[in-house]
Amino acid sequence: MTPGNSSDALAFLLVGIPGLADLHRCFFIPFCLMYLIAMLGNCTVLLVVRTYRGLHEPMCYFLSMLATTDLGLTLSTLPTVPYVFWFGAMEISFPVCLTQMFCIHAFSFMESSVLLAMAFDRHMAIYYPLRYSSILTPTKIAKVGLGIVCRCTLTLFPLICLLTRMSFCRSHVLSHSYCLHQDMIRLACTDTTLNSLYGLILVLLIVILDPVLITVSYIMIFKTLLGITSREKQAKALNTCISHFSAVLIFYVPMVGLSIIHRYGKNAAPISHVLMANIYLFIPPVLNPIIYSMQTKHIRKGIIRLLSQRLAWPGHGKQAWSR
C-alpha cells in the first residue's frame, strides 16, 4: 500500500509461531485449554463474589476487578489466536486490528492499575485493621474502579489517533497472532517518532510507575509487620499478601522480559519475542484465579459451596455461609 491510501482498505496478516508452522495445530489444543481455564476460572471468581454476602468486602471487590480485567484480556485475543493456529494465518482489516490493539493494551494497563490498587488495599488492611472496611467503602472502591478505567482507556486514544494518520507501505505481516502497537508501527513507512515518544510516556506512567508504587506499598507493609510483636499475627497478615504478591510477579516478570527483548534483543530469534508475548498475555489470566482460589480461604470456601450446590451433594447445599 502506498502513502495516502485509505487505512480502511489496509489489511494485516496475523501469523503464529515463526519456524513452527507445521506444529501450529498441535499448539491449538493448549491455547484452547488456556482460554477455557481462564474464562471458567475468572467467571467462577466473579460468580462466587457476587453470590455470597460474606465476600462483599474490599479485598474481594478488588479481586473481582482483577478477574474482570483478566477476562477482558482473554476475550481480546480470542477472535484471532485459535483461528491463526488452526488455519495457519489470518488476514485482519486495519480498523479491526486497531480495535484489538486498543483492547489488549487497555486491559493490560487496567491489570497493572488493579494490582496497584490491591497493593494499597493490603496496606490499608494491615496498617488500619479496625478501620479497614470504613475507609474502603463500596462507593470509594467503585470510584477507584472508574478511575482505573478512565486512566487506561483515555490515555490510549491519542495513540489510536496517531496510528490512523500513518501509512503502511512495507510488509503487512505482523509478528503475532494478535495486534500490538509496537508491532504495527514497525511496518509504517512514515515517521513514527511521535508514536514512539507517546508510547514511552505511557510506559513510564503505567508500566514503570505502577510497580514502583507497589514496591513502596510492600516496603510500608513490611515495616508495619515488623512492628507487630505476635509471630502468629505477623504470619496471618503476611499470608493475606501472598496471593497478591504472586499475581504481581506473574504479571510484571513477563512484561519486563518482553520489554527487554523488544528493546535489546534485535538479534534474538523471532520465536523468543512471540513466546514471551504469549506468556505475558495468556499466563496471568490462567493462573490468577487458581492462585486466589487456593490461597484465599473465603474464596475457596465460596467455590466449594457453589460447586456443592450446583452438583447437589447431600447436605452441602444446606450449610450456612460462615466467614
Side-chain angles (χ1 to χ4, degrees), residues 180-228:
L180 295 176
H181 173 257
Q182 60 267 33
D183 202 20
M184 293 175 70
I185 63 171
R186 176 180 63 85
L187 304 179
C189 58
T190 51
D191 185 29
T192 61
T193 303
L194 201 54
N195 287 70
S196 300
L197 183 61
Y198 189 77
L200 179 61
I201 292 172
L202 286 182
V203 168
L204 291 175
L205 290 178
I206 298 178
V207 179
I208 302 297
L209 182 61
D210 286 359
V212 169
L213 294 177
I214 290 173
T215 303
V216 171
S217 295
Y218 269 99
I219 291 172
M220 297 174 69
I221 286 172
F222 289 131
K223 286 179 67 176
T224 304
L225 289 175
L226 291 175
I228 300 175

Side-chain angles (χ1 to χ4, degrees), residues 60-319:
C60 293
Y61 288 138
F62 284 119
L63 178 57
S64 296
M65 290 185 194
L66 184 65
T68 302
T69 57
D70 278 336
L71 203 56
L73 197 57
T74 300
L75 293 175
S76 296
T77 59
L78 181 60
T80 58
V81 173
Y83 187 97
V84 168
F85 278 95
W86 187 255
F87 293 103
M90 176 182 179
E91 190 174 85
I92 183 171
S93 67
F94 181 76
V96 175
C97 192
L98 208 60
T99 302
Q100 186 182 52
M101 184 217 78
F102 176 83
C103 291
I104 290 174
H105 288 297
F107 282 113
S108 177
F109 289 165
M110 283 183 204
E111 179 140 354
S112 178
S113 300
V114 170
L115 289 173
L116 173 58
M118 294 177 81
F120 176 75
D121 165 74
R122 290 300 82 210
H123 172 65
M124 290 292 103
I126 293 172
Y127 197 77
Y128 300 108
L130 299 179
R131 298 170 53 201
Y132 170 59
S133 296
S134 61
I135 294 174
L136 291 175
T137 61
T139 302
K140 289 181 181 178
I141 293 171
K143 290 180 179 178
V144 170
L146 181 61
I148 288 173
V149 172
C150 292
R151 179 198 190 205
C152 301
T153 55
L154 297 180
T155 53
L156 279 173
F157 280 116
L159 209 61
I160 299 296
C161 294
L162 289 171
L163 275 172
T164 57
R165 293 174 176 273
M166 297 177 69
S167 297
F168 299 85
C169 53
R170 301 176 186 172
S171 167
H172 296 159
V173 180
L174 296 174
S175 305
H176 305 285
S177 48
Y178 40 80
C179 298
L180 295 176
H181 173 257
Q182 60 267 33
D183 202 20
M184 293 175 70
I185 63 171
R186 176 180 63 85
L187 304 179
C189 58
T190 51
D191 185 29
T192 61
T193 303
L194 201 54
N195 287 70
S196 300
L197 183 61
Y198 189 77
L200 179 61
I201 292 172
L202 286 182
V203 168
L204 291 175
L205 290 178
I206 298 178
V207 179
I208 302 297
L209 182 61
D210 286 359
V212 169
L213 294 177
I214 290 173
T215 303
V216 171
S217 295
Y218 269 99
I219 291 172
M220 297 174 69
I221 286 172
F222 289 131
K223 286 179 67 176
T224 304
L225 289 175
L226 291 175
I228 300 175
T229 54
S230 171
R231 293 288 183 182
E232 184 180 348
K233 289 182 178 179
Q234 278 185 341
K236 186 178 180 181
L238 188 61
N239 189 56
T240 63
C241 299
I242 291 176
S243 299
H244 175 258
F245 189 71
S246 301
V248 168
L249 288 180
I250 65 174
F251 180 75
Y252 284 111
V253 170
M255 177 186 281
V256 171
L258 182 61
S259 299
I260 291 173
I261 287 178
H262 270 293
R263 187 162 296 274
Y264 302 109
K266 298 188 184 297
N267 296 323
I271 190 173
S272 61
H273 293 254
V274 176
L275 289 178
M276 189 58 71
N278 286 335
I279 290 172
Y280 163 61
L281 287 178
F282 293 106
I283 296 303
V286 170
L287 292 185
N288 281 338
I290 296 173
I291 290 171
Y292 274 94
S293 61
M294 291 176 62
Q295 293 290 336
T296 308
K297 181 180 68 175
H298 302 322
I299 297 294
R300 186 169 64 249
K301 288 174 66 177
I303 293 174
I304 292 172
R305 187 186 178 195
L306 184 68
L307 288 174
S308 67
Q309 289 177 336
R310 293 293 183 270
L311 297 175
W313 289 347
H316 283 270
K318 298 180 182 179
Q319 293 177 3

